[in-house]
Amino acid sequence: MKEIIYKNTKISYSDSGKGTAIVFLHGFLENSTMWDYFVPDFSKKYRIIAIDLLGHGQTEPLGYVHSMDDNADAVHAVLSELKIRKALFVGHSMGGYVALAFAELYPDNVKGIVLLNSTSRADSDERKANRDRAIKAVKQNYTNFVRLSIANLFSENNRERLASEIESVKEEALKTPLQGIVASLEGMKIRKDREVILHFAPYPILLVLGKNDPVLNYEESLDQIENTSAKLLTFPDGHMSPIENREELKKELTAFFKSI
């Protein structure tokens, strides 16, 4: 992993391959290692940048609230350091929120976006209340909260089949500091609605959804791309397409990258 210092904070990232830059942004409680399966193949044709977002992986927390804009600014700092002017973004869950914040703040630097098990919409009042409950829960019992949160991201059908992969994800998640977890929950809670980007972006957007996603309601998620040119890819499983649908996702991403 390489690093830059941004606002007195260490931002960690990996950089491999040559060609069009593709930036991979992980989700909440994840880190850049979640892309390890994809990087070797993709870096044969592209320049792959995988970034640890604020308070995750080897990137330090920046404050008590990590807004999606804060994360987007940190991503921009990495790309500026690498002298990358335009990139494709693949954002899983919270990483998708960061990609959209980046697209709003730095529109000229975006070549395309893959929203992977993510949404352009702000939290509903119910989701905000759930974030507050989560903050309380993680402060009361950190390990329990993290382990349960990860298990609940997978569709029920896959929890047994992918038991060892889920255990690995939990182990990585348990490296996330408490401050990083709380600051991210606070940041996701206050994020803006960015659905307008799906309607007016001058670059291609791919929305990847899981039919049985326990976190994002599939039917509600479809609404946001009505009357847009965004493409839809649906898998039959849960919130963790990069693990639950690994092979198919790699194939579909390859086709999407080629089309740009």
Side-chain angles (χ1 to χ4, degrees):
M1 294 294 279
K2 300 172 181 179
E3 61 187 56
I4 63 163
I5 300 299
Y6 166 74
K7 292 190 175 177
N8 297 321
T9 301
K10 183 177 85 171
I11 311 289
S12 193
Y13 66 94
S14 66
D15 176 9
S16 46
K18 287 193 172 97
T20 299
I22 303 176
V23 180
F24 281 82
L25 303 172
H26 63 79
F28 175 60
L29 292 178
E30 300 165 355
N31 58 52
S32 56
T33 62
M34 75 163 291
W35 305 113
D36 286 356
Y37 174 79
F38 299 91
V39 171
D41 271 4
F42 286 140
S43 59
K44 288 174 189 166
K45 285 191 174 173
Y46 305 100
R47 185 175 183 182
I48 304 298
I49 318 295
I51 301 174
D52 281 343
L53 295 172
L54 297 173
H56 285 70
Q58 294 173 42
T59 291
E60 297 166 342
L62 184 65
Y64 293 106
V65 178
H66 293 154
S67 72
M68 300 305 104
D69 296 34
D70 292 333
N71 274 296
D73 287 338
V75 168
H76 186 255
V78 171
L79 298 186
S80 297
E81 173 75 16
L82 299 176
K83 299 187 168 39
I84 291 170
R85 205 183 67 75
K86 253 189 170 168
L88 266 160
F89 290 81
V90 179
H92 181 243
S93 197
M94 182 180 80
Y97 310 154
V98 175
L100 289 170
F102 187 98
E104 184 176 279
L105 293 166
Y106 308 102
D108 295 340
N109 300 129
V110 181
K111 217 176 164 134
I113 295 176
V114 178
L115 290 179
L116 191 47
N117 312 112
S118 193
T119 177
S120 62
R121 291 178 171 164
D123 270 0
S124 63
D125 289 341
E126 187 190 343
R127 288 294 292 274
K128 285 177 181 172
N130 287 342
R131 304 267 189 219
D132 287 332
R133 276 194 286 275
I135 289 166
K136 248 184 214 155
V138 73
K139 284 179 177 175
Q140 278 166 358
N141 191 331
Y142 169 89
T143 307
N144 205 31
F145 170 82
V146 171
R147 295 186 74 83
L148 268 177
S149 297
I150 296 300
N152 290 337
L153 297 174
F154 291 81
S155 71
E156 278 183 47
N157 304 343
N158 284 330
R159 287 177 199 168
E160 208 172 302
R161 181 176 74 86
L162 297 171
S164 66
E165 283 92 339
I166 293 171
E167 199 48 46
S168 300
V169 178
K170 286 177 183 174
E171 291 308 315
E172 284 300 327
L174 287 165
K175 296 174 186 175
T176 317
L178 177 63
Q179 188 188 339
I181 293 175
V182 173
S184 296
L185 286 164
E186 293 284 9
M188 288 189 285
K189 187 176 78 179
I190 60 168
R191 77 181 188 281
K192 286 166 60 177
D193 188 300
R194 293 191 163 95
E195 193 176 331
V196 66
I197 292 173
L198 303 188
H199 289 264
F200 296 106
Y203 42 75
I205 293 175
L206 174 66
L207 177 64
V208 182
L209 298 174
K211 203 78 183 268
N212 291 299
D213 190 326
V215 182
L216 286 176
N217 180 287
Y218 178 74
E219 300 302 332
E220 284 172 21
S221 298
L222 291 181
D223 290 356
Q224 65 193 312
I225 58 165
E226 254 182 50
N227 305 316
T228 75
S229 58
K231 290 189 173 71
L232 173 69
L233 169 62
T234 299
F235 288 122
D237 300 292
H239 193 68
M240 297 297 280
S241 297
I243 295 172
E244 293 177 277
N245 310 102
R246 234 172 215 172
E247 281 301 327
E248 305 96 309
L249 180 62
K250 186 156 76 170
K251 207 163 72 185
E252 295 289 349
L253 286 178
T254 301
F256 183 69
F257 298 159
K258 266 188 193 161
S259 72
I260 294 174

